[in-house]
Amino acid sequence: MKTWSTTDVPRLPIDHEGMPVRVHDTATDALVPVAGQDGTARLYVCGITPYDATHLGHAATYVTFDVLQRAWRDAGLAVTYVQNVTDVDEPLLQRAERDGLDWRELARREIELFFEDMEALRVLPPDHYVGAVEGIPDDVTAVEQLLEAGTAYLVDVPEDEHGVPGATGSDVYLDLSTQPSFGAVSGWTREQMLEVFADRGGDPDRPGKRDRLDPLLWRSGREGEPHWDGGALGQGRPGWHIECSTIAQRYLGPGFDVQGGGTDLVFPHHEMSAVQAAASCGDDCFARAYVHQAMVGLEGEKMSKSRGNLVLVSRLRSTGVDPMAIRLALLSQHYRTEWEWTDQLLRDADDRLDLWRRASDMAAHETITDLGRATVQRVRERLADDLDTPGALEAVDDWATTVAAGEPASGLVVRAVDALLGVQL
Ligand code: 5CA
Ligand code: ZN
């Protein structure tokens, strides 16, 4: 699928390159060095379900992984970045039905708007932007294999739900009891898992399942729902988790470096994606590390499309807010700390942008001062240490304040702010 347009990343003309990056891995609850052994870095980030516009929670997630990508590039790594878009799933179909829209049209419109938001925020596009629908042939192959291996099983569609021609009348589920690695990503207890499973797309009460947590792999086609040819599985559509599992494996290969997304995806989504990959290809086949952006809230609650308590990037932009101020407001919070959006954050970001721009206006492009070098070094150190963006912003604040007091300005810092933080001054 086509992705959004890229922005230039300036190369920094100083001899030492950025340093190896450590981030927090949810699976081991430790700071781990990620990527770099062979000069490459492979990243998968869970993309949007396009039924509503990008809110600041989504934006925080994509800006966080954008900073990771920029730090990797600065360290000289060749990055391959893959992102999916869940262009068919229950929430999208429900919203389209509620609003009397064709679900494809709704998805197309929201994807376009998402692209505009990402471009405005100067988020670098993925190398492969892949729709769930595009991935269906790979899902079918994977599910067929799991059935053959006896790790998946069939559950009859309830009699009052009518099938479409070519559907088998059986849904397919993964048998988690065959998967010893289940639980390794979240480290959660069964009780914790059951507490959220139904709210996060699971169906613990579906009759006929061997275990309440077993995830759906293939949904047999129902009247009024979109469906595709599933080979031996008949007409139908894939479950949610298998989508990311197969896309990551196809475009990144086994043992890629980081699987990313918000903490709302730790369980079930990342747990199930990993276990489904393990079931078809082995324990080392999926991500080496799982990195999660803490939830961004509004007035005491997680910002979410289903709750409707949203601050939209596009709405802020349409009221004339500088996207670079939005980006700075996002970067002012550490990705592992939950935080709430407030207008004050945006005002602070605006002030910071003014301060930085005044310093930038005084900087000759080619000048490299000792202070400039030291500032860039500090920014690199802060980012390499678990993406400490608030610390990186402080380093630039100190530089800008010193410049405002009369110290010669260095164009190097201006370029580093662009290359590493994605902020154009
Ligand atoms: N399409 C699936 C992933 S395969 C999905 O979760 N889509 S989403 O549109 O609901 O979310 C897109 C991304 O934003 C996900 O990585 C999700 O974890 C993240 N996200 C959603 N809400 C928030 C929030 N309030 N704060 C931070 N990140 C969020
Ligand atoms: Zn995903």
Side-chain angles (χ1 to χ4, degrees):
M1 204 163 174
K2 136 186 176 310
T3 183
W4 63 91
S5 308
T6 194
T7 46
D8 280 346
V9 180
R11 273 198 70 81
L12 300 181
I14 45 179
D15 31 20
H16 50 267
E17 290 193 313
M19 51 204 72
V21 182
R22 283 162 27 116
V23 287
H24 178 262
D25 171 31
T26 302
T28 52
D29 191 19
L31 283 189
V32 293
V34 277
Q37 289 87 343
D38 58 357
T40 70
R42 292 175 293 159
L43 171 67
Y44 185 92
V45 178
C46 281
I48 56 163
T49 306
Y51 69 89
D52 209 337
T54 321
H55 60 63
L56 287 158
H58 304 132
T61 290
Y62 299 117
V63 165
T64 289
F65 291 100
D66 187 53
V67 171
L68 176 59
Q69 165 163 208
R70 286 167 184 271
W72 273 340
R73 286 190 180 202
D74 183 50
L77 303 183
V79 182
T80 308
Y81 178 19
V82 178
Q83 192 181 120
N84 70 307
V85 49
T86 308
D87 57 0
V88 61
D89 199 17
E90 213 48 49
L92 171 66
L93 299 175
Q94 281 170 6
R95 178 63 64 93
E97 167 120 26
R98 188 197 80 177
D99 295 352
L101 294 166
D102 182 281
W103 62 275
R104 293 177 208 82
E105 181 51 29
L106 175 61
R108 200 196 52 72
R109 195 178 76 192
E110 296 303 342
I111 291 170
E112 274 307 310
L113 191 58
F114 173 66
F115 284 7
E116 284 171 24
D117 288 338
M118 291 298 102
E119 284 166 11
L121 293 174
R122 304 188 90 238
V123 172
L124 298 171
D127 301 286
H128 304 280
Y129 190 66
V130 189
V133 172
E134 279 176 88
I136 289 176
D138 284 344
D139 302 337
V140 170
T141 308
V143 177
E144 283 174 345
Q145 280 167 0
L146 293 174
L147 271 173
E148 268 166 40
T151 45
Y153 62 95
L154 303 176
V155 174
D156 287 345
V157 171
E159 277 179 9
D160 56 347
E161 295 180 25
H162 300 289
V164 295
T168 63
S170 299
D171 297 333
V172 186
Y173 283 84
L174 181 71
D175 184 344
L176 287 174
S177 71
T178 63
Q179 298 306 313
S181 70
F182 177 60
V185 173
S186 65
W188 287 14
T189 63
R190 194 176 158 80
E191 286 64 40
Q192 285 175 301
M193 293 176 177
L194 279 167
E195 217 175 285
V196 303
F197 190 54
D199 277 348
R200 297 185 181 177
D203 55 357
D205 300 325
R206 170 76 191 271
K209 277 171 62 169
R210 293 182 186 165
D211 187 300
R212 301 181 73 203
L213 291 171
D214 286 348
L216 175 74
L217 295 170
W218 184 258
R219 181 173 164 88
S220 184
R222 315 290 209 267
E223 254 175 30
E225 293 184 12
H227 50 85
W228 289 265
D229 178 15
L233 312 174
Q235 288 288 320
R237 66 181 157 99
W240 171 28
H241 317 300
I242 192 85
E243 155 194 354
C244 287
S245 207
T246 57
I247 294 174
Q249 289 179 81
R250 167 170 289 272
Y251 292 93
L252 292 174
F256 60 92
D257 295 289
V258 168
Q259 157 77 303
T263 51
D264 57 337
L265 299 184
V266 173
F267 186 86
H269 185 53
H270 288 174
E271 189 76 67
M272 299 301 187
S273 304
V275 84
Q276 286 167 14
S280 32
C281 140
D283 278 349
D284 297 329
C285 277
F286 213 56
R288 293 182 213 258
Y290 294 83
V291 179
H292 291 108
Q293 161 73 45
M295 288 296 102
V296 177
L298 184 70
E299 290 157 359
E301 286 211 80
K302 169 192 165 187
M303 205 180 277
S304 82
K305 292 184 280 206
S306 48
R307 285 198 182 91
N309 60 333
L310 309 176
V311 178
L312 303 178
V313 175
S314 45
R315 200 163 302 148
L316 289 178
R317 289 198 291 119
S318 70
T319 58
V321 175
D322 186 329
M324 291 300 95
I326 304 175
R327 183 157 174 132
L328 273 181
L330 299 170
L331 292 172
S332 71
Q333 308 298 310
H334 192 264
Y335 81 94
R336 279 174 60 201
T337 311
E338 287 190 2
W339 56 279
E340 295 210 353
W341 179 263
T342 59
D343 292 343
Q344 187 58 44
L345 272 181
L346 192 56
R347 282 195 289 273
D348 292 346
D350 251 331
D351 291 346
R352 176 173 259 143
L353 194 58
D354 275 352
L355 174 71
W356 291 14
R357 282 192 171 145
R358 280 200 302 275
S360 163
D361 287 346
M362 287 186 249
H365 183 73
E366 296 303 331
T367 324
I368 300 179
T369 62
D370 286 348
L371 176 65
R373 266 180 195 277
T375 303
V376 173
Q377 192 58 16
R378 237 177 103 191
V379 170
R380 284 173 159 158
E381 275 167 18
R382 288 300 82 233
L383 297 184
D385 179 12
D386 200 21
L387 306 179
D388 175 13
T389 54
L393 300 199
E394 261 175 48
V396 182
D397 286 346
D398 289 347
W399 168 80
T401 310
T402 316
V403 168
E407 185 78 18
S410 166
L412 178 65
V413 178
V414 179
R415 277 177 280 164
V417 164
D418 186 348
L420 300 174
L421 299 173
V423 176
Q424 196 169 41
L425 295 179

